[in-house]
Amino acid sequence: MSIIEIRDLTFSYPERNLDAVKNVSFSVDSGEYIAILGANGSGKSTLARLICGYLEPSAGSIVREQGMRMGLVFQSPGDQIVASVVETDTAFGPRNLKCSEEEVIGRTVSSLDSVGLLDRLLDKTRDLSQGQKQKLGVAGIAALHPTVFVLDESTSMIDPESRSHLLEVMDRWHQQGKTILHITHSLEEAHRAQRVIAMNEGQMIFDGSRQQFMAHKDMEKLLFGEALPLNTFVSCPSAQWKPTLDNPSDEMPRGFQNDAALIFRNLNFAYETDDFIQEHHGEKKSLFENFSLPVEAGRLTALMGPSGCGKSTLMEIAAGLLSVPAGEVYSNSRPLLALQDSDHGLFEEFAADDVAFGPRNQGIAGKELVKKVRFAMEQVGLSYEKFAERQTMSLSGGEKRKVSLAGIIAMDGQVLLFDEPTAGLDAKSRRKVMEMLLSLVKAGKTVLFTTHREDEAMIAHRVVKLANTVPVSIKEVLVADSLLCKTSQEQDCSEQSFEEIGMLHQQQPLGGVSLLQFLSNFGSSFSSGSNKPSVIQGLPALVKYLLFFALFIFSFVTKTISLAGIGVGSVILYGLLAHYPLKTGFLSILKLIPWLLFFFLIQIFFLPVYPTDTILWQGSFMVITDTKVVSGVLLLLHLTAAFISLSVFVFSISEQEILDGLESLLYPLGKCGFPVRHVTLVAGVVFRFVPLLAQEAALIVKIQLIRGGLGEATGFMAKIRILLPLLIPLTIRTLNQASVLADALTARYYS
């Protein structure tokens, strides 16, 4: 029985001169499992959004069975997230469906467990890896219990084990009678479906059973091309350096440093975490302890490992985007990194201009610039004539990724890092990118790339696999342990540093790392909620609100120093009852001392002198009286009490409690027709959207730093000047994210 009927469906984006979907017709029966295939830009994602009602057809029709619930998993992992905590994000949809709290908890736990994220229940969504965010997107839709699952490349960024697990989950959905439309670039995943639909340039070119598709070898070759070749490289015996578990800081052999273009040596690294995260994980989460890894010069190295094991972190350390508390990074030149989600950070209007951004900052112009841009675009499979003047925002997800890769290639660096360069690309594009990596190596470059695909890894000269343990101190080398030695092994280098040898130089963090840290801290300041058991923690959300308001208001209405002191003492007791780390709060206040002194001086300068005042000191332009001093001290006490009370409130209340408490406070207004639900949604969106914008800004800063767009700035005005180039791209991203967030709310059935 058909539950979806599609007839002569056509859709055109206003900014393009061609149909994204053209004259497509087919029906979907209840309980079918359909794989939708096609190259990047073939119209698959557009078709999915049309089916789910996010876009209106330009022509044709879509008829859906009445009462059917659609569940769309977005192509980009971060776009689906609407809350700052994993549990709250997954529960958002069931709450919109007016499920009972018991049902909400059951669906949340079941959905997170099905994708392997139950152990991250209380984590901040901003701390998840791209692969983990992709799992969370699936969990959030699964919690809706939709009639039809529409998954847009939902396995593109997760490791093989997680991918296999998610595919098994999809099989169970199918066995339970759910209808599944799975957009994929994987031939293996297509073979799991009952039926296969193939798209090309907006049109449907195949619709048949799995058996018919498997028998149609020409169609399979058209969509997937030739399989990637296996590694045929021969390793040369030479000096080796492979640290052991017993002694991870083994000294490198003599002459070895001439073998490598990039060396990680004795790295220690852990992300700065707030008190809330440390509660959930125990101690601070370390990714690397005494970690050492050489990357062979002039060769292709693949880096593998499960989602969240530290692959992207290692790449960012090498590129100078993260500073390490211990250990060093050595390289023969500044490594250039194509970030995993750099396609989200495109900031020029046209594709060619974005690719040209880095070379322009290197001082390249004119015909030489055009030559480099053309070469880079052709390397990733984008025709310069066809795509140079295409608007970046109008490109498909795969095309954006290719543009971001081209932007790094155009800079012609000696050490190139690619983080998941083929994620989200179709089979032919993946092959093109892998051939591009090999061609870079043949041109004398050193290339390190991360991947979840075994077939891609086996093309490399060497494969390094990060362990699924935290912290990681030693990695398992799977293929080609040996290194090509260019110098005599007997050369005595034991007393020489890398710099003295003249081959490698210690790499320092880029100048804008402090700005990245600021953006990260700014976003995290909007995260809230502690699970530490305490008297305050156990209070209902409404009582937490009322207690906070009482203390906060009391902080400002006191008129004497004694009462203000009682106010400070009250908020300190409030903090102790909440198990709030008061030391952290007071250290934060110390950072505000310049501002507190500024306000104190305003009191001294501008308050009037009354006849009853006692003059303590008098100068040409300033008179200090007892009343002014008391007023200044009162201000300091008021601000201290207000700051601590606000900090304790944020510490002791979860994001969901903030929304629940706000809804309880506004309940009387709701009885009068006031849209309480919309107000609480806005509050929730703030908790998600502000950190999201901070992340967007950080991404743009990262990309501009890598491509030479920002430099070290000293002085207030200089810092303002380097931020100006971020305003336009961040504004564009803000508008885009607002649209994406609206779609994400729609996907979770908010109304």
Side-chain angles (χ1 to χ4, degrees):
M1 174 183 173
S2 295
I3 57 175
I4 302 175
E5 291 282 348
I6 299 171
R7 293 289 174 262
D8 300 321
L9 189 65
T10 297
F11 179 83
S12 300
Y13 288 101
E15 62 271 20
R16 301 186 193 177
N17 296 322
L18 70 162
D19 294 326
V21 173
K22 185 176 182 180
N23 297 328
V24 171
S25 298
F26 65 94
S27 62
V28 179
D29 289 343
S30 178
E32 272 198 294
Y33 188 165
I34 303 174
I36 302 178
L37 309 177
N40 295 121
S42 62
K44 305 184 304 300
S45 296
T46 301
L47 178 62
R49 297 177 81 83
L50 284 163
I51 292 173
C52 293
Y54 292 84
L55 298 172
E56 288 295 327
S58 303
S61 64
I62 303 176
V63 178
R64 308 173 191 86
E65 186 180 78
Q66 190 172 4
M68 186 172 59
R69 184 178 300 155
M70 306 292 294
L72 173 62
V73 180
F74 294 175
Q75 183 177 23
S76 182
D79 289 350
Q80 192 108 29
I81 298 172
V82 297
S84 61
V85 178
V86 169
E87 177 186 29
T88 309
D89 186 82
T90 309
F92 184 74
R95 286 198 170 99
N96 290 331
L97 298 176
K98 303 296 189 294
C99 295
S100 67
E101 196 58 27
E102 183 180 357
E103 177 72 7
V104 168
I105 293 171
R107 290 190 182 198
T108 300
V109 171
S110 174
S111 298
L112 289 173
D113 188 40
S114 70
V115 299
L117 280 183
L118 189 56
D119 61 329
R120 307 300 296 267
L121 182 76
L122 300 176
D123 284 15
K124 302 294 186 287
T125 53
R126 62 181 169 83
D127 294 321
L128 301 179
S129 69
Q130 286 292 93
Q132 290 165 338
K133 287 178 181 177
Q134 197 159 43
K135 294 179 185 179
L136 181 59
V138 174
I141 295 302
L144 294 168
H145 291 185
T147 311
V148 179
F149 284 91
V150 182
L151 302 104
D152 193 356
E153 299 179 35
S154 58
T155 63
S156 62
M157 291 189 178
I158 54 179
D159 56 86
E161 183 178 350
S162 298
R163 173 173 166 265
S164 176
H165 179 71
L166 183 55
L167 291 173
E168 290 173 1
V169 171
M170 292 167 62
D171 288 341
R172 288 200 297 272
W173 290 341
H174 181 224
Q175 291 165 8
Q176 293 166 4
K178 300 292 185 181
T179 304
I180 300 174
L181 303 180
H182 185 197
I183 296 171
T184 177
H185 290 308
S186 167
L187 182 60
E188 175 196 346
E189 292 176 10
H191 286 171
R192 299 176 80 108
Q194 290 176 309
R195 176 180 167 195
V196 176
I197 292 175
M199 302 280 292
N200 183 48
E201 295 184 352
Q203 295 180 296
M204 192 167 67
I205 58 173
F206 180 86
D207 182 5
S209 68
R210 173 180 58 203
Q211 292 77 13
Q212 290 172 324
F213 177 75
M214 293 173 69
H216 201 321
K217 296 301 180 183
D218 290 340
M219 180 61 63
E220 189 174 299
K221 186 174 181 180
L222 174 67
L223 293 170
F224 295 96
E226 299 292 337
L228 292 170
L230 292 177
N231 184 356
T232 57
F233 298 112
V234 178
S235 300
C236 303
S238 65
Q240 296 183 29
W241 178 48
K242 183 180 178 182
T244 64
L245 284 168
D246 295 330
N247 190 0
S249 58
D250 280 347
E251 290 299 318
M252 290 174 286
R254 299 183 180 96
F256 171 82
Q257 47 268 35
N258 292 346
D259 301 340
L262 174 66
I263 292 177
F264 303 95
R265 190 179 186 197
N266 297 338
L267 291 186
N268 287 284
F269 183 82
Y271 280 104
E272 290 297 324
T273 56
D274 52 37
D275 295 315
F276 319 124
I277 296 175
Q278 289 189 39
E279 288 171 25
H280 306 150
H281 290 285
E283 299 179 358
K284 182 185 290 188
K285 182 181 178 182
S286 294
L287 278 176
F288 300 104
E289 286 185 4
N290 296 324
F291 170 66
S292 298
L293 176 71
V295 178
E296 208 171 349
R299 307 196 90 183
L300 183 62
T301 301
L303 187 62
M304 300 188 73
S307 300
C309 70
K311 301 186 299 298
S312 298
T313 299
L314 197 63
M315 301 289 245
E316 291 199 13
I317 290 172
L321 296 175
L322 292 170
S323 56
V324 292
E328 306 89 29
V329 176
Y330 295 91
S331 180
N332 61 15
S333 64
R334 169 64 70 182
L336 299 176
L337 168 62
L339 292 159
Q340 185 177 127
D341 52 354
S342 55
D343 48 304
H344 273 196
L346 303 179
F347 42 78
E348 295 287 358
E349 182 178 3
F350 299 104
D353 288 334
D354 205 275
V355 176
F357 182 83
R360 278 201 183 102
N361 290 326
Q362 294 174 326
I364 299 171
K367 292 182 179 179
E368 185 181 359
L369 178 63
V370 174
K371 181 180 178 181
K372 283 185 175 290
V373 171
R374 180 187 293 272
F375 172 79
M377 293 182 69
E378 297 290 347
Q379 282 285 297
V380 298
L382 291 177
S383 165
Y384 180 82
E385 284 72 19
K386 182 178 179 180
F387 286 93
E389 296 185 7
R390 285 277 296 275
Q391 290 184 319
T392 52
M393 292 300 105
S394 72
L395 300 174
S396 71
E399 290 163 349
K400 287 179 181 178
R401 177 162 288 270
K402 292 177 185 178
V403 170
S404 69
L405 295 176
I408 294 299
I409 295 169
M411 294 180 70
D412 200 23
Q414 290 303 305
V415 178
L416 300 174
L417 314 173
F418 296 92
D419 195 4
E420 296 285 348
T422 65
L425 297 183
D426 58 72
K428 288 186 175 180
S429 296
R430 286 202 303 116
R431 182 185 179 90
K432 182 74 175 179
V433 168
M434 297 311 298
E435 290 173 347
M436 175 267 293
L437 297 183
L438 288 172
S439 69
L440 290 171
V441 171
K442 289 178 182 177
K445 312 293 185 185
T446 300
V447 178
L448 173 67
F449 73 101
T450 65
T451 182
H452 286 306
R453 296 178 177 271
E454 294 283 354
D455 58 340
E456 292 177 359
M458 295 308 293
I459 290 177
H461 298 81
R462 182 175 180 226
V463 180
V464 177
K465 187 173 184 180
L466 304 193
N468 189 21
T469 57
V470 177
V472 176
S473 57
I474 291 297
K475 315 305 177 182
E476 179 188 1
V477 179
L478 301 181
V479 180
D481 292 340
S482 56
L483 299 171
L484 178 61
C485 187
K486 302 182 183 67
T487 61
S488 169
Q489 295 185 36
E490 284 71 37
Q491 180 181 353
D492 187 4
C493 305
S494 59
E495 300 301 322
Q496 292 179 289
S497 67
F498 299 133
E499 288 86 348
E500 289 171 335
I501 294 170
M503 296 298 295
L504 304 181
H505 305 279
Q506 186 172 349
Q507 299 298 312
Q508 301 299 328
L510 294 167
V513 168
S514 59
L515 177 59
L516 289 175
Q517 187 64 47
F518 167 77
L519 292 170
S520 175
N521 292 339
F522 183 76
S524 65
S525 67
F526 279 79
S527 297
S528 61
S530 168
N531 255 17
K532 186 177 291 184
S534 68
V535 173
I536 303 298
Q537 178 65 35
L539 296 175
L542 179 59
V543 176
K544 290 183 180 181
Y545 261 98
L546 296 175
L547 179 60
F548 162 67
F549 282 139
L551 291 171
F552 189 80
I553 293 171
F554 185 74
S555 299
F556 284 104
V557 299
T558 51
K559 299 296 184 182
T560 65
I561 290 179
S562 58
L563 286 176
I566 292 174
V568 172
S570 298
V571 297
I572 289 176
L573 178 61
Y574 177 41
L576 291 173
L577 291 174
H579 291 173
Y580 173 73
L582 288 170
K583 179 181 177 181
T584 302
F586 283 115
L587 287 175
S588 299
I589 292 174
L590 288 177
K591 296 178 182 179
L592 298 175
I593 282 179
W595 290 102
L596 296 176
L597 290 176
F598 173 73
F599 288 120
F600 182 81
L601 290 174
I602 286 179
Q603 299 274 1
I604 298 297
F605 272 105
F606 294 104
L607 280 180
V609 178
Y610 298 100
T612 57
D613 287 353
T614 300
I615 297 176
L616 303 177
W617 183 86
Q618 185 171 358
S620 302
F621 302 100
M622 183 172 62
V623 177
I624 300 178
T625 69
D626 57 343
T627 302
K628 288 185 176 184
V629 171
V630 169
S631 297
V633 172
L634 276 174
L635 179 65
L636 296 182
L637 291 174
H638 288 166
L639 291 176
T640 299
F643 180 85
I644 294 178
S645 63
L646 180 60
S647 299
V648 174
F649 176 71
V650 172
F651 176 81
S652 61
I653 192 167
S654 69
E655 179 183 334
Q656 188 57 47
E657 285 180 313
I658 288 176
L659 303 182
D660 292 343
L662 185 59
E663 195 164 350
S664 297
L665 284 173
L666 298 176
Y667 178 78
L669 294 177
K671 288 295 185 179
C672 302
F674 186 78
V676 172
R677 176 65 174 159
H678 292 288
V679 173
T680 56
L681 173 70
V682 170
V685 166
V686 167
F687 274 88
R688 169 60 184 153
F689 200 64
V690 173
L692 187 65
L693 292 184
Q695 291 175 13
E696 291 289 341
L699 177 59
I700 295 171
V701 169
K702 285 180 182 179
I703 294 171
Q704 291 214 8
L705 285 173
I706 292 168
R707 295 163 71 181
L710 299 174
E712 185 64 66
T714 56
F716 180 76
M717 291 307 298
K719 291 180 179 180
I720 292 296
R721 281 195 297 272
I722 71 168
L723 289 175
L724 289 177
L726 304 179
L727 294 180
I728 293 177
L730 184 57
T731 300
I732 294 171
R733 292 299 304 162
T734 300
L735 295 174
N736 184 63
Q737 281 298 335
S739 174
V740 167
L741 187 57
D743 284 346
L745 294 174
T746 301
R748 305 297 188 86
Y749 284 81
Y750 172 78
S751 60

